[in-house]
Coordinates of all heavy atoms in Angstrom, one line a residue:
M1 N -0.1 18.1 -7.0 CA 0.6 16.9 -7.1 C -0.2 15.9 -7.9 O -1.3 15.8 -7.9 CB 0.9 16.3 -5.7 CG -0.1 15.5 -4.9 SD 0.6 14.9 -3.3 CE -0.9 14.2 -2.7
T2 N 0.5 15.3 -9.0 CA -0.1 14.4 -9.9 C 0.2 13.0 -9.6 O -0.6 12.1 -10.0 CB 0.2 14.7 -11.4 OG1 1.7 14.7 -11.4 CG2 -0.3 16.0 -11.8
H3 N 1.3 12.7 -8.9 CA 1.5 11.3 -8.4 C 1.5 11.4 -6.9 O 1.6 12.5 -6.3 CB 2.8 10.8 -9.0 CG 4.0 11.5 -8.4 ND1 4.3 12.7 -8.6 CD2 4.9 11.0 -7.5 CE1 5.5 13.0 -7.9 NE2 5.8 12.0 -7.2
D4 N 1.4 10.3 -6.2 CA 1.4 10.2 -4.8 C 2.9 10.2 -4.3 O 3.5 9.0 -4.4 CB 0.6 9.1 -4.3 CG 0.2 9.2 -2.8 OD1 0.7 10.1 -2.2 OD2 -0.6 8.4 -2.4
P5 N 3.4 11.2 -3.6 CA 4.7 11.2 -3.1 C 4.9 10.6 -1.7 O 5.9 10.5 -1.2 CB 5.2 12.6 -3.1 CG 3.9 13.4 -2.9 CD 2.8 12.5 -3.5
L6 N 3.7 10.2 -1.2 CA 3.6 9.9 0.2 C 3.8 8.3 0.4 O 3.5 7.6 -0.6 CB 2.3 10.3 0.8 CG 2.1 11.8 0.8 CD1 0.6 12.2 1.0 CD2 2.9 12.4 2.1
P7 N 4.1 7.9 1.6 CA 4.2 6.4 1.8 C 2.8 5.8 1.7 O 1.8 6.5 1.8 CB 4.7 6.3 3.2 CG 4.8 7.7 3.8 CD 4.5 8.6 2.8
P8 N 2.7 4.5 1.4 CA 1.4 3.9 1.2 C 0.5 4.2 2.5 O 1.0 4.2 3.6 CB 1.7 2.4 1.1 CG 3.2 2.4 0.6 CD 3.8 3.6 1.1
L9 N -0.7 4.4 2.2 CA -1.7 4.8 3.3 C -1.7 3.6 4.4 O -1.8 3.9 5.6 CB -3.0 5.1 2.7 CG -4.1 5.5 3.7 CD1 -3.7 6.9 4.4 CD2 -5.5 5.7 3.0
R10 N -1.6 2.4 3.9 CA -1.7 1.2 4.8 C -0.5 1.4 5.9 O -0.7 1.2 7.0 CB -1.5 0.0 4.0 CG -1.6 -1.3 4.8 CD -1.4 -2.5 3.9 NE -2.4 -2.5 2.8 CZ -3.6 -3.0 2.9 NH1 -4.1 -3.5 4.0 NH2 -4.5 -3.0 1.8
D11 N 0.7 1.8 5.4 CA 1.8 2.0 6.2 C 1.6 3.1 7.2 O 2.0 3.1 8.4 CB 3.1 2.2 5.4 CG 3.5 1.1 4.5 OD1 2.8 0.0 4.6 OD2 4.4 1.2 3.7
V12 N 1.0 4.2 6.7 CA 0.8 5.4 7.6 C -0.2 5.0 8.7 O 0.1 5.4 9.8 CB 0.3 6.6 6.7 CG1 -0.2 7.8 7.6 CG2 1.3 7.0 5.7
I13 N -1.2 4.3 8.3 CA -2.1 3.9 9.3 C -1.6 3.0 10.4 O -1.8 3.2 11.6 CB -3.3 3.1 8.6 CG1 -4.2 4.2 7.8 CG2 -4.2 2.4 9.6 CD1 -5.2 3.5 7.0
A14 N -0.7 2.1 9.9 CA 0.0 1.2 10.9 C 1.0 2.0 11.8 O 1.0 1.8 13.0 CB 0.7 0.1 10.1
R15 N 1.7 2.9 11.2 CA 2.7 3.6 11.9 C 2.1 4.5 13.0 O 2.7 4.7 14.1 CB 3.5 4.5 10.9 CG 4.6 5.3 11.5 CD 5.7 5.7 10.5 NE 5.3 5.9 9.2 CZ 4.8 7.1 8.9 NH1 4.7 8.1 9.7 NH2 4.4 7.3 7.5
H16 N 0.9 5.0 12.7 CA 0.3 5.9 13.7 C -0.7 5.0 14.6 O -1.4 5.6 15.4 CB -0.5 7.0 13.1 CG 0.4 8.0 12.4 ND1 1.2 8.8 13.1 CD2 0.7 8.3 11.1 CE1 1.9 9.6 12.3 NE2 1.6 9.3 11.1
G17 N -0.7 3.7 14.4 CA -1.6 2.8 15.3 C -3.0 3.1 15.1 O -3.8 3.0 16.1
L18 N -3.5 3.4 13.9 CA -4.9 3.8 13.7 C -5.7 2.6 13.5 O -5.4 1.7 12.7 CB -5.1 4.8 12.6 CG -4.4 6.1 12.8 CD1 -4.4 7.0 11.5 CD2 -5.0 6.9 13.9
R19 N -6.9 2.6 14.2 CA -7.9 1.4 14.0 C -9.2 2.2 13.6 O -9.6 3.1 14.4 CB -8.1 0.6 15.2 CG -6.9 -0.3 15.5 CD -7.3 -1.7 15.4 NE -6.2 -2.6 15.5 CZ -5.8 -3.3 16.5 NH1 -6.5 -3.2 17.6 NH2 -4.7 -4.0 16.5
A20 N -9.9 1.7 12.6 CA -11.2 2.3 12.3 C -12.1 2.0 13.5 O -12.2 1.0 14.0 CB -11.8 1.7 11.0
S21 N -12.8 3.1 13.9 CA -13.8 3.0 15.0 C -15.2 2.9 14.5 O -15.7 3.8 13.7 CB -13.6 4.3 15.9 OG -14.8 4.6 16.6
K22 N -15.9 1.9 14.9 CA -17.3 1.7 14.4 C -18.1 2.8 15.0 O -19.0 3.3 14.3 CB -17.9 0.4 14.9 CG -17.6 -0.7 13.9 CD -18.4 -2.0 14.3 CE -18.1 -3.0 13.4 NZ -18.6 -4.4 13.9
A23 N -17.9 3.3 16.2 CA -18.7 4.3 16.9 C -18.6 5.6 16.0 O -19.5 6.4 16.1 CB -18.2 4.5 18.2
L24 N -17.5 5.9 15.3 CA -17.3 7.0 14.5 C -17.7 6.8 13.1 O -17.5 7.7 12.2 CB -15.9 7.6 14.6 CG -15.5 8.1 16.0 CD1 -13.9 8.4 16.0 CD2 -16.3 9.4 16.3
G25 N -18.2 5.6 12.8 CA -18.6 5.3 11.4 C -17.4 5.2 10.4 O -17.6 5.5 9.2
Q26 N -16.3 4.8 11.0 CA -15.0 4.9 10.2 C -14.9 3.6 9.3 O -15.1 2.5 9.7 CB -13.8 5.1 11.1 CG -13.7 6.4 11.7 CD -12.6 6.7 12.6 OE1 -12.1 5.7 13.2 NE2 -12.1 7.9 12.7
N27 N -14.4 3.8 8.1 CA -14.1 2.8 7.1 C -13.1 3.5 6.2 O -13.5 4.3 5.4 CB -15.4 2.4 6.4 CG -15.1 1.3 5.4 OD1 -14.0 0.8 5.3 ND2 -16.2 0.9 4.7
F28 N -11.9 3.1 6.3 CA -10.8 3.8 5.6 C -10.6 3.1 4.2 O -10.3 1.9 4.2 CB -9.5 3.9 6.4 CG -9.6 4.4 7.8 CD1 -8.9 3.9 8.8 CD2 -10.4 5.5 8.0 CE1 -9.0 4.4 10.1 CE2 -10.5 6.1 9.3 CZ -9.9 5.5 10.3
I29 N -10.6 3.9 3.2 CA -10.4 3.4 1.8 C -9.0 3.4 1.5 O -8.3 4.5 1.6 CB -11.2 4.2 0.8 CG1 -12.7 4.2 1.1 CG2 -11.0 3.5 -0.6 CD1 -13.5 5.2 0.2
L30 N -8.3 2.2 1.3 CA -6.9 2.1 1.1 C -6.5 2.1 -0.4 O -5.4 2.3 -0.8 CB -6.4 0.9 1.7 CG -6.6 0.8 3.3 CD1 -6.1 -0.5 3.7 CD2 -6.0 1.9 4.0
D31 N -7.5 1.9 -1.3 CA -7.3 1.7 -2.7 C -7.2 3.0 -3.4 O -8.2 3.7 -3.6 CB -8.4 0.8 -3.3 CG -8.2 0.5 -4.7 OD1 -7.4 1.2 -5.4 OD2 -8.9 -0.3 -5.3
L32 N -6.0 3.5 -3.7 CA -5.8 4.8 -4.4 C -6.6 4.9 -5.7 O -7.0 6.0 -6.1 CB -4.3 5.1 -4.6 CG -3.9 6.5 -5.0 CD1 -4.4 7.5 -4.1 CD2 -2.4 6.6 -5.2
N33 N -6.6 3.7 -6.4 CA -7.4 3.8 -7.8 C -8.8 4.2 -7.5 O -9.4 5.0 -8.2 CB -7.3 2.5 -8.4 CG -5.9 2.2 -8.9 OD1 -5.2 3.1 -9.4 ND2 -5.5 0.9 -8.8
L34 N -9.4 3.7 -6.4 CA -10.8 3.9 -6.1 C -11.0 5.4 -5.6 O -11.9 6.1 -6.1 CB -11.3 2.9 -5.0 CG -12.7 3.2 -4.5 CD1 -13.7 3.1 -5.7 CD2 -13.1 2.1 -3.5
T35 N -10.1 5.8 -4.7 CA -10.2 7.3 -4.2 C -10.0 8.2 -5.4 O -10.7 9.2 -5.4 CB -9.3 7.5 -3.0 OG1 -8.0 7.1 -3.3 CG2 -9.8 6.8 -1.8
R36 N -9.1 7.9 -6.3 CA -8.9 8.8 -7.4 C -10.1 8.8 -8.3 O -10.4 9.9 -8.9 CB -7.7 8.4 -8.2 CG -6.4 8.7 -7.5 CD -5.2 8.6 -8.4 NE -5.0 9.8 -9.2 CZ -3.9 10.1 -9.9 NH1 -2.9 9.3 -9.8 NH2 -3.8 11.2 -10.6
R37 N -10.8 7.7 -8.4 CA -12.0 7.7 -9.3 C -13.1 8.6 -8.6 O -13.8 9.3 -9.3 CB -12.6 6.3 -9.5 CG -12.0 5.6 -10.7 CD -12.4 4.2 -10.8 NE -13.8 3.9 -10.7 CZ -14.3 2.7 -10.4 NH1 -13.4 1.7 -10.2 NH2 -15.5 2.5 -10.3
I38 N -13.2 8.5 -7.3 CA -14.1 9.3 -6.5 C -13.8 10.8 -6.7 O -14.7 11.6 -7.0 CB -14.1 8.9 -5.0 CG1 -14.7 7.5 -4.9 CG2 -15.0 9.9 -4.3 CD1 -14.4 6.9 -3.5
A39 N -12.5 11.1 -6.5 CA -12.1 12.5 -6.7 C -12.3 13.0 -8.1 O -12.8 14.1 -8.3 CB -10.6 12.7 -6.3
R40 N -12.1 12.2 -9.1 CA -12.3 12.6 -10.5 C -13.7 12.9 -10.8 O -14.0 13.8 -11.6 CB -11.8 11.5 -11.5 CG -10.4 11.7 -11.9 CD -10.0 10.9 -13.2 NE -10.1 9.5 -13.0 CZ -9.0 8.7 -12.5 NH1 -7.9 9.3 -12.1 NH2 -9.3 7.4 -12.4
A41 N -14.6 12.2 -10.1 CA -16.0 12.4 -10.3 C -16.5 13.8 -9.8 O -17.5 14.4 -10.2 CB -16.8 11.4 -9.6
A42 N -15.7 14.4 -8.9 CA -16.0 15.7 -8.4 C -15.2 16.8 -9.1 O -15.5 17.9 -8.9 CB -15.6 15.7 -6.9
A43 N -14.1 16.4 -9.8 CA -13.2 17.4 -10.5 C -14.1 18.0 -11.7 O -15.1 17.4 -12.1 CB -12.0 16.7 -11.0
P44 N -13.7 19.1 -12.2 CA -12.5 19.9 -12.0 C -12.6 20.7 -10.8 O -13.6 21.2 -10.5 CB -12.2 20.6 -13.3 CG -13.5 20.9 -13.8 CD -14.4 19.7 -13.4
F45 N -11.4 21.0 -10.2 CA -11.4 21.8 -9.0 C -10.8 23.2 -9.2 O -10.5 23.9 -8.3 CB -10.5 21.2 -7.9 CG -11.0 19.8 -7.6 CD1 -10.3 18.7 -7.8 CD2 -12.3 19.6 -7.0 CE1 -10.7 17.4 -7.5 CE2 -12.7 18.4 -6.7 CZ -12.0 17.2 -7.0
D46 N -10.7 23.7 -10.5 CA -10.0 24.9 -10.8 C -10.8 26.0 -10.1 O -12.1 26.1 -10.1 CB -10.2 25.3 -12.3 CG -10.0 24.1 -13.2 OD1 -9.1 23.2 -12.8 OD2 -10.6 24.0 -14.3
A47 N -10.1 26.9 -9.4 CA -10.7 28.1 -8.8 C -11.6 27.7 -7.6 O -12.5 28.4 -7.3 CB -11.3 29.0 -9.8
C48 N -11.6 26.4 -7.2 CA -12.5 26.0 -6.1 C -11.7 25.8 -4.9 O -10.6 25.4 -4.8 CB -13.1 24.6 -6.5 SG -14.3 24.6 -7.8
A49 N -12.4 26.1 -3.7 CA -11.9 25.5 -2.5 C -12.7 24.3 -2.1 O -13.9 24.2 -2.4 CB -12.2 26.6 -1.4
V50 N -12.0 23.3 -1.8 CA -12.6 21.9 -1.6 C -12.7 21.7 -0.1 O -11.7 21.9 0.6 CB -11.9 20.8 -2.2 CG1 -12.4 19.5 -1.9 CG2 -11.7 21.0 -3.7
Y51 N -13.9 21.4 0.5 CA -14.1 21.1 1.9 C -14.4 19.6 2.0 O -15.3 19.1 1.4 CB -15.3 21.9 2.4 CG -14.9 23.4 2.5 CD1 -15.1 24.2 1.5 CD2 -14.4 23.9 3.8 CE1 -14.7 25.6 1.6 CE2 -14.1 25.3 3.8 CZ -14.2 26.0 2.8 OH -13.9 27.4 2.8
E52 N -13.5 18.9 2.7 CA -13.7 17.5 2.9 C -14.0 17.3 4.4 O -13.3 17.6 5.3 CB -12.4 16.7 2.6 CG -12.6 15.2 2.7 CD -11.3 14.4 2.6 OE1 -10.2 15.0 2.4 OE2 -11.4 13.2 2.6
V53 N -15.2 16.7 4.6 CA -15.7 16.4 6.0 C -15.4 14.9 6.2 O -15.8 14.1 5.5 CB -17.2 16.7 6.1 CG1 -17.6 16.3 7.5 CG2 -17.5 18.2 5.9
G54 N -14.6 14.7 7.2 CA -14.3 13.3 7.7 C -13.2 12.6 6.7 O -13.4 11.6 6.2
P55 N -12.0 13.3 6.7 CA -10.9 12.7 5.9 C -10.3 11.4 6.5 O -9.6 10.7 5.8 CB -9.9 13.8 5.8 CG -10.1 14.6 7.1 CD -11.6 14.5 7.3
G56 N -10.6 11.1 7.8 CA -9.9 10.0 8.4 C -8.4 10.2 8.3 O -7.9 11.3 8.4
P57 N -7.7 9.1 7.9 CA -6.2 9.3 7.7 C -5.8 9.9 6.4 O -4.7 10.1 6.2 CB -5.7 7.8 7.8 CG -6.9 7.0 7.3 CD -8.1 7.8 7.7
G58 N -6.7 10.2 5.6 CA -6.4 11.0 4.4 C -6.4 10.3 3.0 O -5.8 10.8 2.1
G59 N -7.0 9.1 2.9 CA -7.0 8.4 1.6 C -7.7 9.3 0.5 O -7.0 9.6 -0.5
L60 N -8.8 9.8 0.8 CA -9.5 10.6 -0.3 C -8.8 12.0 -0.4 O -8.7 12.5 -1.5 CB -11.0 10.8 0.1 CG -11.8 11.5 -1.0 CD1 -11.8 10.9 -2.3 CD2 -13.3 11.7 -0.5
T61 N -8.3 12.5 0.7 CA -7.5 13.8 0.7 C -6.4 13.7 -0.3 O -6.2 14.6 -1.1 CB -7.0 14.0 2.1 OG1 -8.0 13.8 3.1 CG2 -6.5 15.5 2.2
R62 N -5.6 12.7 -0.3 CA -4.5 12.5 -1.2 C -5.1 12.6 -2.6 O -4.4 13.2 -3.5 CB -3.9 11.1 -1.0 CG -3.1 11.0 0.3 CD -2.8 9.4 0.4 NE -2.0 9.2 1.5 CZ -0.9 8.5 1.5 NH1 -0.4 8.0 0.5 NH2 -0.2 8.2 2.7
A63 N -6.1 11.8 -2.8 CA -6.6 11.7 -4.3 C -7.2 13.0 -4.7 O -7.0 13.4 -5.8 CB -7.8 10.7 -4.2
L64 N -7.8 13.8 -3.8 CA -8.3 15.1 -4.2 C -7.1 16.0 -4.6 O -7.2 16.7 -5.6 CB -9.1 15.8 -3.0 CG -10.4 15.1 -2.7 CD1 -10.9 15.6 -1.3 CD2 -11.4 15.5 -3.8
L65 N -6.0 16.0 -3.9 CA -4.8 16.7 -4.2 C -4.3 16.3 -5.6 O -3.9 17.1 -6.4 CB -3.8 16.6 -3.1 CG -4.2 17.3 -1.8 CD1 -3.1 17.0 -0.7 CD2 -4.3 18.8 -1.9
M66 N -4.2 15.0 -5.7 CA -3.6 14.4 -7.0 C -4.5 14.8 -8.2 O -4.0 14.9 -9.3 CB -3.5 12.9 -6.9 CG -2.5 12.5 -6.0 SD -2.5 10.8 -5.7 CE -1.8 10.1 -7.2
E67 N -5.8 15.0 -8.0 CA -6.7 15.3 -9.1 C -6.8 16.8 -9.3 O -7.8 17.3 -10.0 CB -8.1 14.7 -8.9 CG -8.0 13.1 -9.0 CD -7.5 12.6 -10.3 OE1 -7.6 13.2 -11.3 OE2 -6.8 11.5 -10.2
G68 N -6.0 17.6 -8.6 CA -6.0 19.0 -8.9 C -6.6 20.0 -7.8 O -6.5 21.2 -8.1
A69 N -7.0 19.5 -6.7 CA -7.6 20.4 -5.7 C -6.3 21.1 -5.1 O -5.4 20.4 -4.6 CB -8.3 19.6 -4.6
T70 N -6.2 22.3 -5.1 CA -5.1 23.1 -4.6 C -5.4 23.8 -3.3 O -4.5 24.1 -2.5 CB -4.6 24.2 -5.6 OG1 -5.7 25.0 -6.0 CG2 -4.0 23.5 -6.8
R71 N -6.7 24.1 -3.0 CA -7.1 24.6 -1.7 C -8.1 23.7 -1.1 O -9.2 23.5 -1.6 CB -7.7 26.0 -2.0 CG -6.7 27.0 -2.3 CD -7.3 28.4 -2.6 NE -8.1 28.4 -3.8 CZ -9.3 29.1 -3.9 NH1 -9.8 29.8 -2.9 NH2 -10.0 29.0 -5.0
L72 N -7.7 23.1 -0.1 CA -8.4 22.0 0.5 C -8.5 22.2 2.1 O -7.5 22.4 2.7 CB -7.7 20.7 0.2 CG -8.3 19.4 0.9 CD1 -9.7 19.1 0.4 CD2 -7.4 18.2 0.5
V73 N -9.7 22.2 2.5 CA -10.0 22.3 4.0 C -10.6 20.9 4.4 O -11.6 20.5 3.9 CB -10.9 23.4 4.4 CG1 -11.2 23.4 5.9 CG2 -10.3 24.8 3.9
A74 N -9.9 20.2 5.3 CA -10.4 18.9 5.8 C -10.7 19.0 7.2 O -10.0 19.5 8.0 CB -9.3 17.9 5.5
V75 N -11.9 18.6 7.6 CA -12.4 18.7 8.9 C -12.7 17.3 9.5 O -13.6 16.6 8.9 CB -13.8 19.5 9.0 CG1 -14.2 19.7 10.4 CG2 -13.6 20.9 8.4
E76 N -12.0 17.0 10.5 CA -12.1 15.6 11.0 C -12.3 15.6 12.6 O -11.6 16.4 13.3 CB -10.8 14.8 10.7 CG -10.7 13.5 11.3 CD -11.8 12.5 11.0 OE1 -12.0 12.2 9.9 OE2 -12.5 12.1 12.0
R77 N -13.3 14.9 13.1 CA -13.6 15.0 14.4 C -12.6 14.1 15.3 O -12.5 14.2 16.5 CB -15.1 14.7 14.7 CG -15.4 13.2 14.6 CD -16.8 12.9 14.7 NE -17.4 13.1 16.1 CZ -18.5 12.7 16.5 NH1 -19.3 12.0 15.7 NH2 -18.9 12.9 17.7
D78 N -12.0 13.1 14.6 CA -11.2 12.1 15.4 C -9.7 12.6 15.4 O -9.0 12.5 14.4 CB -11.3 10.7 14.7 CG -10.5 9.7 15.4 OD1 -9.8 10.0 16.4 OD2 -10.5 8.5 14.9
S79 N -9.3 13.2 16.5 CA -8.0 13.8 16.5 C -6.9 12.7 16.4 O -5.7 13.1 16.1 CB -7.8 14.5 17.9 OG -8.0 13.7 18.9
R80 N -7.2 11.4 16.6 CA -6.2 10.4 16.4 C -5.6 10.5 15.0 O -4.4 10.0 14.7 CB -6.7 9.0 16.6 CG -7.2 8.7 18.0 CD -7.8 7.3 18.1 NE -8.7 7.2 17.1 CZ -9.0 6.0 16.4 NH1 -8.3 4.9 16.8 NH2 -9.9 5.9 15.4
T81 N -6.4 10.9 14.0 CA -6.0 10.9 12.6 C -5.1 12.1 12.2 O -4.5 12.1 11.1 CB -7.2 10.9 11.6 OG1 -7.9 12.1 11.7 CG2 -8.1 9.7 11.9
L82 N -5.0 13.1 13.1 CA -4.3 14.3 12.7 C -2.9 14.2 12.4 O -2.4 14.7 11.4 CB -4.5 15.4 13.8 CG -5.9 15.9 13.9 CD1 -6.0 17.0 15.0 CD2 -6.4 16.5 12.7
P83 N -2.1 13.3 13.1 CA -0.7 13.1 12.7 C -0.6 12.6 11.3 O 0.3 13.0 10.5 CB -0.2 12.1 13.7 CG -1.0 12.3 14.9 CD -2.4 12.6 14.4
A84 N -1.5 11.7 10.9 CA -1.4 11.1 9.5 C -1.8 12.2 8.5 O -1.2 12.3 7.4 CB -2.4 10.0 9.4
L85 N -2.8 13.0 8.9 CA -3.2 14.2 8.0 C -2.1 15.2 7.9 O -1.9 15.8 6.8 CB -4.5 14.8 8.5 CG -5.7 13.9 8.3 CD1 -6.9 14.5 9.1 CD2 -6.1 13.7 6.9
E86 N -1.3 15.4 9.0 CA -0.2 16.4 9.0 C 0.8 16.1 7.9 O 1.4 16.9 7.3 CB 0.4 16.5 10.4 CG -0.4 17.2 11.4 CD -0.5 18.7 11.1 OE1 0.3 19.3 10.3 OE2 -1.3 19.3 11.8
E87 N 1.0 14.8 7.6 CA 2.0 14.3 6.7 C 1.6 14.8 5.2 O 2.5 14.9 4.4 CB 2.2 12.8 6.7 CG 2.7 12.3 8.0 CD 3.0 10.8 8.0 OE1 3.0 10.2 6.9 OE2 3.1 10.2 9.0
I88 N 0.3 14.9 5.0 CA -0.2 15.3 3.7 C -0.1 16.8 3.5 O 0.1 17.3 2.4 CB -1.6 14.9 3.5 CG1 -1.8 13.4 3.7 CG2 -2.3 15.3 2.2 CD1 -3.2 12.9 3.7
K89 N -0.2 17.6 4.6 CA -0.3 19.0 4.6 C 0.7 19.7 3.6 O 0.4 20.5 2.8 CB -0.2 19.6 6.0 CG -1.0 20.7 6.3 CD -0.9 21.0 7.8 CE -1.5 22.2 8.2 NZ -1.5 22.4 9.6
P90 N 2.0 19.3 3.7 CA 2.9 20.0 2.8 C 2.7 19.8 1.3 O 3.3 20.5 0.5 CB 4.4 19.4 3.2 CG 4.1 18.7 4.5 CD 2.6 18.3 4.5
H91 N 1.8 18.9 1.0 CA 1.7 18.6 -0.5 C 0.5 19.3 -1.2 O 0.2 19.1 -2.3 CB 1.5 17.1 -0.6 CG 2.7 16.3 -0.2 ND1 3.9 16.2 -0.9 CD2 3.0 15.8 1.1 CE1 4.7 15.5 -0.2 NE2 4.3 15.3 0.9
G92 N -0.1 20.2 -0.4 CA -1.1 21.1 -1.0 C -1.4 22.2 -0.1 O -0.8 22.3 1.0
Q93 N -2.2 23.2 -0.5 CA -2.6 24.2 0.4 C -3.7 23.8 1.3 O -4.8 24.0 1.0 CB -3.0 25.5 -0.4 CG -1.9 26.1 -1.2 CD -2.4 27.3 -2.0 OE1 -3.3 28.0 -1.6 NE2 -1.8 27.5 -3.2
T94 N -3.3 23.0 2.2 CA -4.3 22.1 2.9 C -4.4 22.6 4.4 O -3.4 22.8 5.1 CB -3.8 20.7 3.0 OG1 -3.5 20.3 1.7 CG2 -4.9 19.8 3.5
A95 N -5.7 22.9 4.8 CA -5.9 23.3 6.2 C -6.6 22.1 6.9 O -7.4 21.4 6.3 CB -6.8 24.4 6.3
L96 N -6.2 21.8 8.1 CA -6.8 20.8 8.8 C -7.5 21.4 10.1 O -7.0 22.2 10.8 CB -5.7 19.8 9.4 CG -4.8 19.2 8.3 CD1 -3.7 18.5 8.9 CD2 -5.6 18.3 7.3
K97 N -8.7 20.9 10.4 CA -9.4 21.4 11.5 C -10.0 20.2 12.2 O -10.4 19.2 11.6 CB -10.5 22.3 11.0 CG -9.9 23.6 10.4 CD -10.9 24.6 10.2 CE -10.1 25.8 9.5 NZ -10.9 26.9 9.1
Ligands
LIG1 C1 -16.3 6.6 6.5 S1 -15.0 7.5 7.2 C2 -14.2 8.2 5.8 C3 -12.7 8.1 5.8 C4 -12.0 8.8 4.6 N1 -12.7 9.8 3.9 C5 -11.4 7.8 3.6 O1 -11.0 8.3 2.6 O2 -11.2 6.6 3.8 C6 -15.9 8.8 7.9 C7 -15.0 9.9 8.7 O3 -15.8 11.0 9.1 C8 -15.4 11.3 10.4 N2 -16.5 12.1 11.0 C9 -17.7 11.6 11.5 N3 -18.5 12.6 11.9 C10 -17.8 13.7 11.7 C11 -18.1 15.1 12.0 N4 -19.2 15.5 12.5 N5 -17.2 16.0 11.6 C12 -16.0 15.6 11.0 N6 -15.7 14.4 10.7 C13 -16.5 13.4 11.1 C14 -15.0 10.0 11.1 O4 -14.1 10.2 12.2 C15 -14.3 9.3 10.0 O5 -13.0 9.5 10.0

């Protein structure tokens, strides 16, 4: 996906009642321009499997998909974020653990 077809991350976070937990070191990046810059710094993803540790609600995950990651495995310890991550799943070959 080259554009973001998903609702704004801020809305997704609100809809799922997510709050960043200090105990889990959480800090969710809402700025898609910033997450895309981060993802671009790691690109290109041709023929790569991308492993993302700690996607939270998926801000960087979306950006990785938009910048060309087609095989993405995201591992998150906070199960509260899984419903938000599930919304991203149909937009890439994404595995959630
Ligand atoms: C700073 S937040 C990053 C959030 C996200 N990447 C973003 O784009 O905003 C770090 C994330 O790592 C997760 N985390 C912390 N320890 C972890 C672990 N051992 N395995 C998987 N996820 C972990 C936290 O629950 C949190 O969601």
Side-chain angles (χ1 to χ4, degrees):
M1 76 180 178
T2 52
H3 72 289
D4 192 356
L6 294 159
L9 186 60
R10 187 182 298 278
D11 296 354
V12 173
I13 288 171
R15 183 156 36 82
H16 292 292
L18 296 172
R19 287 243 170 103
S21 153
K22 270 192 185 166
L24 292 174
Q26 289 176 334
N27 182 1
F28 304 141
I29 305 173
L30 302 178
D31 182 346
L32 187 59
N33 290 321
L34 179 57
T35 50
R36 287 193 79 167
R37 270 175 49 201
I38 295 168
R40 269 198 295 274
F45 302 116
D46 320 328
C48 288
V50 177
Y51 290 84
E52 182 187 7
V53 178
L60 183 58
T61 314
R62 294 169 176 229
L64 289 166
L65 293 172
M66 291 171 72
E67 296 302 330
T70 52
R71 287 179 294 142
L72 175 65
V73 178
V75 182
E76 172 57 59
R77 77 187 288 197
D78 183 359
S79 59
R80 295 177 311 146
T81 66
L82 291 180
L85 292 169
E86 287 288 347
E87 294 184 19
I88 299 171
K89 217 171 171 180
H91 298 278
Q93 292 176 34
T94 309
L96 305 172
K97 299 190 176 174

